[in-house]
Coordinates of all heavy atoms in Angstrom, one line a residue:
V320 N 9.3 2.4 -15.0 CA 10.1 2.0 -13.8 C 10.1 0.5 -13.8 O 11.1 -0.2 -13.5 CB 9.5 2.6 -12.5 CG1 10.1 1.9 -11.3 CG2 9.6 4.1 -12.5
E321 N 9.0 -0.2 -14.2 CA 8.9 -1.6 -14.2 C 9.9 -2.2 -15.2 O 10.6 -3.2 -14.9 CB 7.5 -2.1 -14.5 CG 7.4 -3.6 -14.4 CD 6.0 -4.1 -14.5 OE1 5.0 -3.3 -14.5 OE2 5.8 -5.4 -14.5
K322 N 10.0 -1.6 -16.4 CA 10.9 -2.1 -17.4 C 12.3 -2.0 -16.9 O 13.2 -2.8 -17.2 CB 10.8 -1.2 -18.7 CG 9.9 -1.8 -19.7 CD 9.9 -1.0 -21.0 CE 8.6 -0.5 -21.4 NZ 8.5 0.5 -22.4
L323 N 12.6 -0.9 -16.2 CA 14.0 -0.7 -15.8 C 14.4 -1.4 -14.5 O 15.5 -1.9 -14.4 CB 14.2 0.9 -15.5 CG 14.1 1.8 -16.7 CD1 14.0 3.2 -16.3 CD2 15.2 1.6 -17.7
Y324 N 13.4 -1.6 -13.6 CA 13.7 -2.1 -12.3 C 12.9 -3.3 -11.8 O 13.1 -3.8 -10.7 CB 13.6 -1.0 -11.2 CG 14.7 0.1 -11.4 CD1 14.4 1.2 -12.1 CD2 15.9 -0.1 -10.7 CE1 15.4 2.2 -12.3 CE2 16.9 0.9 -10.9 CZ 16.6 2.0 -11.6 OH 17.6 2.9 -11.8
G325 N 11.9 -3.7 -12.6 CA 11.0 -4.8 -12.2 C 9.8 -4.4 -11.5 O 9.6 -3.2 -11.0
S326 N 8.9 -5.4 -11.3 CA 7.6 -5.1 -10.8 C 7.5 -4.7 -9.3 O 6.7 -3.9 -8.9 CB 6.6 -6.2 -11.1 OG 7.1 -7.4 -10.5
D327 N 8.5 -5.2 -8.5 CA 8.4 -4.9 -7.1 C 8.7 -3.4 -6.9 O 8.0 -2.7 -6.2 CB 9.5 -5.8 -6.3 CG 9.5 -5.5 -4.9 OD1 8.4 -5.5 -4.3 OD2 10.5 -5.2 -4.3
V328 N 9.7 -2.9 -7.6 CA 10.1 -1.5 -7.5 C 8.9 -0.6 -8.0 O 8.5 0.4 -7.4 CB 11.4 -1.2 -8.3 CG1 11.7 0.3 -8.3 CG2 12.6 -1.9 -7.6
A329 N 8.4 -1.0 -9.2 CA 7.3 -0.3 -9.8 C 6.1 -0.2 -8.9 O 5.3 0.8 -8.8 CB 6.9 -0.9 -11.1
S330 N 5.9 -1.3 -8.0 CA 4.7 -1.2 -7.2 C 4.9 -0.4 -5.9 O 4.0 0.0 -5.2 CB 4.3 -2.6 -6.7 OG 5.3 -3.1 -5.8
K331 N 6.2 0.0 -5.7 CA 6.5 0.8 -4.5 C 6.7 2.3 -4.8 O 6.4 3.1 -3.9 CB 7.8 0.3 -3.8 CG 7.6 -1.0 -3.2 CD 8.9 -1.5 -2.5 CE 8.7 -2.8 -1.8 NZ 9.9 -3.7 -1.8
V332 N 7.2 2.6 -6.0 CA 7.5 4.0 -6.2 C 6.2 4.9 -6.2 O 5.1 4.4 -6.7 CB 8.2 4.2 -7.6 CG1 7.3 3.8 -8.8 CG2 8.7 5.6 -7.8
R333 N 6.3 6.0 -5.5 CA 5.0 6.9 -5.4 C 5.0 7.9 -6.6 O 6.0 8.5 -6.9 CB 5.0 7.5 -4.1 CG 4.7 6.5 -3.0 CD 4.4 7.2 -1.7 NE 5.6 7.9 -1.1 CZ 5.5 8.6 0.0 NH1 4.4 8.8 0.7 NH2 6.6 9.2 0.5
I334 N 3.9 8.0 -7.3 CA 3.8 8.8 -8.4 C 2.7 9.9 -8.1 O 1.6 9.5 -7.8 CB 3.4 8.0 -9.7 CG1 4.5 6.9 -9.9 CG2 3.3 8.9 -10.9 CD1 4.2 5.9 -11.0
Q335 N 3.1 11.1 -8.3 CA 2.1 12.2 -8.1 C 1.7 12.8 -9.5 O 2.4 12.7 -10.5 CB 2.8 13.4 -7.4 CG 3.2 13.1 -6.0 CD 4.0 14.3 -5.4 OE1 4.9 14.8 -6.1 NE2 3.7 14.7 -4.2
Y336 N 0.5 13.3 -9.5 CA 0.0 14.1 -10.6 C 0.2 15.6 -10.2 O -0.1 15.9 -9.0 CB -1.4 13.9 -11.0 CG -1.9 15.0 -12.0 CD1 -1.5 15.0 -13.3 CD2 -2.8 15.9 -11.5 CE1 -1.9 16.1 -14.1 CE2 -3.2 17.0 -12.3 CZ -2.7 17.1 -13.6 OH -3.1 18.1 -14.4
G337 N 0.6 16.5 -11.1 CA 0.7 17.9 -10.8 C 0.2 18.7 -12.0 O 0.5 18.3 -13.2
G338 N -0.5 19.7 -11.8 CA -1.0 20.6 -12.8 C -2.4 21.1 -12.5 O -3.4 20.3 -12.7
S339 N -2.5 22.3 -11.9 CA -3.8 22.9 -11.5 C -4.7 22.0 -10.6 O -5.9 21.9 -10.8 CB -4.5 23.3 -12.8 OG -3.8 24.3 -13.5
V340 N -4.0 21.3 -9.7 CA -4.7 20.5 -8.7 C -5.2 21.5 -7.6 O -4.5 22.4 -7.2 CB -3.9 19.4 -8.0 CG1 -4.6 18.8 -6.9 CG2 -3.4 18.4 -9.1
K341 N -6.5 21.3 -7.2 CA -7.2 22.2 -6.2 C -8.0 21.3 -5.3 O -8.2 20.1 -5.6 CB -8.2 23.1 -6.9 CG -7.7 23.9 -8.1 CD -8.7 24.8 -8.7 CE -9.3 24.4 -10.0 NZ -8.6 24.1 -11.1
P342 N -8.4 21.9 -4.2 CA -9.2 21.1 -3.3 C -10.4 20.5 -4.0 O -10.9 19.4 -3.7 CB -9.6 22.1 -2.2 CG -8.5 23.1 -2.2 CD -8.1 23.2 -3.6
E343 N -11.0 21.2 -5.0 CA -12.2 20.8 -5.6 C -12.0 19.6 -6.6 O -12.9 18.9 -6.9 CB -12.9 21.9 -6.5 CG -13.2 23.2 -5.7 CD -11.9 24.1 -5.5 OE1 -11.3 24.5 -6.5 OE2 -11.5 24.3 -4.4
N344 N -10.7 19.4 -7.1 CA -10.6 18.3 -8.0 C -9.6 17.2 -7.6 O -9.4 16.2 -8.2 CB -10.1 18.9 -9.4 CG -8.8 19.5 -9.4 OD1 -8.0 19.4 -8.5 ND2 -8.5 20.3 -10.5
I345 N -9.0 17.4 -6.4 CA -7.9 16.4 -6.0 C -8.5 15.0 -5.8 O -7.8 14.0 -6.2 CB -7.2 16.9 -4.7 CG1 -6.0 16.0 -4.5 CG2 -8.0 16.9 -3.5 CD1 -4.9 16.5 -3.6
A346 N -9.7 14.9 -5.3 CA -10.3 13.5 -5.1 C -10.4 12.7 -6.4 O -10.2 11.5 -6.4 CB -11.7 13.7 -4.5
E347 N -10.7 13.4 -7.5 CA -10.8 12.7 -8.8 C -9.4 12.0 -9.2 O -9.4 10.9 -9.7 CB -11.1 13.7 -10.0 CG -12.4 14.3 -10.0 CD -12.5 15.4 -11.0 OE1 -11.9 15.3 -12.1 OE2 -13.1 16.5 -10.7
Y348 N -8.3 12.8 -8.9 CA -7.0 12.2 -9.2 C -6.7 11.1 -8.3 O -6.2 10.0 -8.6 CB -5.9 13.3 -9.2 CG -6.2 14.3 -10.2 CD1 -6.7 15.6 -9.9 CD2 -5.9 14.0 -11.6 CE1 -6.9 16.5 -10.9 CE2 -6.2 15.0 -12.6 CZ -6.7 16.2 -12.2 OH -6.9 17.1 -13.2

Side-chain angles (χ1 to χ4, degrees):
V320 170
E321 183 170 358
K322 264 188 233 163
L323 297 167
Y324 290 93
S326 57
D327 183 49
V328 175
S330 72
K331 288 181 179 149
V332 64
R333 291 190 292 175
I334 303 174
Q335 297 174 310
Y336 165 72
S339 300
V340 174
K341 307 182 253 307
E343 305 79 64
N344 65 13
I345 190 166
E347 288 168 42
Y348 296 104

